[in-house]
Amino acid sequence: IFVNSPFTTKTVSFISEGDFVNDVDNSFLKMTYTDTLNNYQQTADFTFTNANRTHDWTFPVLAGGQGTVSYSGVVSHKNHTTENIPDTVATGTLITFGPPNQVVVTVTPDPALIDFTQVKLIQVNFQYQDPANNISVQQEIVLKSGSVNPPSWTFYAKDPAKTAYTYRATFYMATTPPTVKTVPSTTASDTDLVLMMPA
């Protein structure tokens, strides 16, 4: 126990964003806290993997110090290539990072206009492709009556100009006998994807 210690503790949380299934093997990050006024520094490093995508870094700081947190690192891809994460000054205590050229796109299907007295459930199949960057991913989401918080689909693009995706919606109607209506594949770029009743 330190009595009248000039130190207190600070915690900064890091979240590694990236496609750890198809693209990223691991991300090595070096973290630095620098308090120039008091000539004080703390450093640490951590390797992020699919099983460990978050890390809380807790370290001692001088009480009242106005230091800054910065980080840099290397992203190793499954195709045996690497990308450098440039030295970056963090803002806040919750820090998200990933490959330097990565674009994170999160799509949420919105069933607000669906009449679930006529529709039993909706199956939405998403697909994103970018052959130039060797990316092909897909996701299936099922929506039912009472889906207060619909699940989202997140994909990672490398070309900021190419974030459009395709989706196909299959409606299982609440009829007797049951019927199925399928909306053909459609290209969209909306992150809030409003679904419409089938014709």
Side-chain angles (χ1 to χ4, degrees):
I1 300 175
F2 295 94
V3 179
N4 296 325
S5 171
F7 291 96
T8 184
T9 58
K10 180 181 180 72
T11 299
V12 179
S13 299
F14 291 84
I15 301 175
S16 181
E17 292 188 323
D19 186 356
F20 280 87
V21 175
N22 302 294
D23 179 32
V24 179
D25 186 39
N26 65 75
S27 295
F28 174 80
L29 205 67
K30 181 178 180 180
M31 303 158 283
T32 304
Y33 172 80
T34 304
D35 183 349
T36 305
L37 183 63
N38 293 297
N39 193 28
Y40 176 76
Q41 188 177 78
Q42 288 285 308
T43 61
D45 56 64
F46 189 80
T47 300
F48 296 81
T49 64
N50 191 35
N52 298 286
R53 301 183 65 169
T54 64
H55 176 64
D56 291 335
W57 179 34
T58 301
F59 51 93
V61 298
L62 287 163
Q66 300 297 319
T68 59
V69 173
S70 61
Y71 61 92
S72 60
V74 178
V75 177
S76 297
H77 296 276
K78 293 183 183 297
N79 63 0
H80 306 295
T81 62
T82 60
E83 289 182 282
N84 290 327
I85 300 173
D87 192 37
T88 305
V89 176
T91 58
T93 57
L94 180 61
I95 302 164
T96 59
F97 72 95
N101 298 318
Q102 174 176 270
V103 180
V104 182
V105 182
T106 298
V107 182
T108 303
D110 187 346
L113 300 181
I114 300 300
D115 182 356
F116 279 103
T117 64
Q118 299 183 46
V119 178
K120 189 172 183 179
L121 64 85
I122 310 169
Q123 177 182 306
V124 187
N125 293 93
F126 293 97
Q127 186 174 48
Y128 173 75
Q129 290 184 314
D130 181 3
N133 288 294
N134 196 31
I135 300 175
S136 179
V137 293
Q138 54 190 9
Q139 178 69 42
E140 176 184 294
I141 292 179
V142 175
L143 303 172
K144 299 180 181 179
S145 176
S147 299
V148 179
N149 296 308
S152 298
W153 171 49
T154 298
F155 64 90
Y156 304 92
K158 291 186 177 181
D159 184 349
K162 186 175 177 58
T163 58
Y165 57 88
T166 60
Y167 75 94
R168 185 181 72 255
T170 303
F171 295 80
Y172 293 83
M173 310 302 292
T175 56
T176 304
T179 55
V180 177
K181 295 185 178 182
T182 302
V183 176
S185 292
T186 305
T187 299
S189 56
D190 299 324
T191 54
D192 182 21
L193 179 63
V194 179
L195 300 175
M196 306 293 289
M197 288 288 292

